[in-house]
Amino acid sequence: MQVSTYFLSLQNPPSLSYRHRLCHHSLSKRPFRHKLICSLANSADQRSSELVTTLQSETLKTLEWPSLCNYLSPFTSTSMAFSLTKAAAIPVGQSREESQKLLDQTTSALHALEALKSEPLDLSVIEDVSEILHSAASGQVLTVSELCRVRRMLGAARAVSEKLAAIAEGGSLERYTPLLEILQGCNFQLELERKIGFCIDCSLSTILGRASEELELIREERKRNMENLDSLLKEVSVSIFQAGGIDKPLITKRRSRMCVGVKATHKYLLPGGVVLNVSSSGATYFMEPKEAVELNNMEVKLSNSEKAEEMAILSLLTSEIAESEAEIKYLLDRLIEVDLAFARAAYAQWVNGVCPILSSKESEMLISNGADNALSIDIEGMQHPLLLGSFLSNSTDFITSNSMGPSVLGNKSVEMTPIKSSKVVSNFPIPIDIKVQCGTRVVIISGPNTGGKTASMKTLGLASIMSKAGMYLPAKKQPRLPWFDLVLADIGDSQSLEQSLSTFSGHISQICEILEVASKESLVLIDEIGSGTDPSEGVALSTSILQYLKNRVNLAFVTTHYADLSRLKEMDPQYENAAMEFSLETLQPTYQILWGRTGDSNALTIAKSIGFDGNIIERAKMWVESLMPEKQQERKGVLQQSLMEERNRLEAQFKRAESLHAEIMKLYHEVRSEAENLEEHERALRVKETQKVEQELNAAKSQIETVVQEFENQLQTANSEEFNLLVKKSESAINSILKAHQPGDSFSFTETDTSSYQPVSGEQVHLKGLGNKLATVVAASEDNDTVLVQYGKIRVRVEKSNVRPISSSQRNNAISSRQSFERQGEQSREVPCNSDATESGAITYGPLIQTSKNTVDLRGMRVEEAEIQLDMAISARGSNSVLFIVHGMGTGVIKERALEMLRNHPRVMKYEQENPLNYGCTIAYIK
């Protein structure tokens, strides 16, 4: 077979304008696909990998990790990533660096999602061709459709790389570097993609004749032969028809040979013809004319040659794919990583997740040395991921049946809308705080049954695994926790009748295996430690186990009902106590963790709330009193209740202070932003005034020139008697023009007048730097060199030389304004502070500072339009806030209508009319 010259020349293809750079890699660089179940730590020399694998599998099942991965699966686009999430086999870092890399990829994918809102990245077109690659490597010849699938996958992969490179070029490169690094070093097989496209028309699923010169020659010769054969058969069929041998001319194919139809009674019309077939009725023979035998033989020969040549081309392309199998599989693995990164980013948007900080031992030491209460684990407002996922999937239409695959959910543009709709802060599940100080190795949680001890412990376990897998946590602020090499859990009933293990034996066997494989970087979770046996022996065994864990693991979380275990903190600071809060008023748990406290089981209270027999409860209380004659339990409960009340009161005060601080800081930043733009405003005003002066000058010149032109025109036709009249008329017109463009009284003051001028508080003055705009004097400095003035919403201190007094015609109004300003100042000084108002129960409205956010400008509007705008502004303001209504001076119609609306509006508590600081502005206090 002689392959076409172009097909052979594809080894040096013409250059195309692609953004990305094709680069080759060695097979040794192909990454190992991480599995959480195989995430093995290397710190222990004698650790059994099989035991570690078994314990990790049981821990993942206990923490319901597969269920959490199911919530991630709808966000995937490719069938490969979808299968990994369904199998709970998503990548998990084997070291802190790998986990941090996964988190960086998630962050980068979040930035990409924001940048690609208009044109989402479509990964669903990337097909799984792993089986095709395996077939090619095993020697099977690929079909046309299989080759086209490989070509589509390569083209889609290249398009993904180009799109990511494009958004990186258009934005900050550092943001998208983690995503770009995933595909860095990939060979996109552009040459192979072009070869397949050159040889095969994938839209028609046919091999093109240009694939080889021999195939092209065969098809041309076959075409000529078929034309001759068709022409011959048409002549024969027409002659048979004319002889009455058939009802209408019939040409067909039987036994892969072209033939004509003829009636059985007219068989003689084709002497020497070959009967290829007979109709079911026997009335029609399908015969090959003697003259067509050679042409049919040639057709069969050429058809076989064409098939052989096509098979040779398919074999060549298959061998190309087999040689590139390793590189294409590497590319597929990398594309799966990209898909999972975007899936984690979409999941983070869905749950309003935040990126965790993975701390190291070195950073923990630095933190602990810098603060007395430094935390190794600082997670605030963490919601249980499974409970949150269940709540969100029931409250939105996005998370559908788990049976839905990426073919349905592959389009990212479909995903974005419901992701946004989930950004509603939910109080379910109840968020918890997990705060463990540096140096703490064992945390002992006590509290009532159904109080949330186990759920809180599972939340920490899932948070650790999620951070290792590069997933954001549904928490507040930015959680910090260590990187754990292993998360080992003994939660639930380990009873096994098949292995003859009781509940206690099952727990002890599990703990024994955990102690065998745990390392200095492990997290151990044990529920109800030492339960299921004699309490005294259970306490002794539990104490010994905790003392052993203290020196062998990074952190151990245990739950217990044994009060004696809580006393370990008194002997060793490496222990920490925590209690689950229980409300004695509602007899219900609040599911909040009280750190540094010990909790009561509240067994009798819970039994009573369930409806247990009252006599049994009373007898139980008598037994408690006999075992505790000093009634320490009752005093302890009262003390705990009082502490809880005090804590709630302090929390409420803190929230109020935090809210006020946030409001003040917001106003501060707004005022600061406006003040920083003062110089820019000044330059703009100067330019505007200059332009205005130039316009007036040009207008005066133009008017004078018009008068002169008219004078000259009239002078030509005027006689001597009219000459003096024209001169006087022109002089009068020019004087009128000059008088119209002369400055007013405000510019009549000389430098001598202003040098001796002393501004007074409350007086209105002109500012030179602002184009002689009116401003109000707030206060003059003691050194008499500067003066504090207010222009609109901005207060600024300027030099006295830049202040010009107003005209004498306006001074009387300024004096009366100053008196009202002083009264206004006295009233403002009499307003009590916010803290006093809060203590006395009075309503506070925050600082009276006018910004663009709390101002509605009605100037220039019609009365009906002003009514609508004012009503909308009042409705939009929050409770206990102020609204500045700028109505201007004008005719007063807008002002009167605004005051009438304020008097009658149900949300307006009171209002203050304009004052020297706010001319043309009324302040309304909103309920």
Side-chain angles (χ1 to χ4, degrees), residues 243 262 295 363 438 573 585 640 644 685 697 719 762-763 845 856:
V262 62
L295 293 176
S363 62
C438 293
E585 296 178 356
Q640 178 180 350
M644 289 170 55
L685 288 173
L697 180 60
N719 52 33
E763 183 179 2
Y845 294 92
V856 55

Side-chain angles (χ1 to χ4, degrees), residues 89-104:
I90 62 175
V92 173
Q94 292 180 302
S95 64
R96 179 183 175 276
E97 290 72 21
E98 290 185 7
S99 296
Q100 187 60 53
K101 184 177 181 181
L102 292 173
L103 286 171
D104 293 341

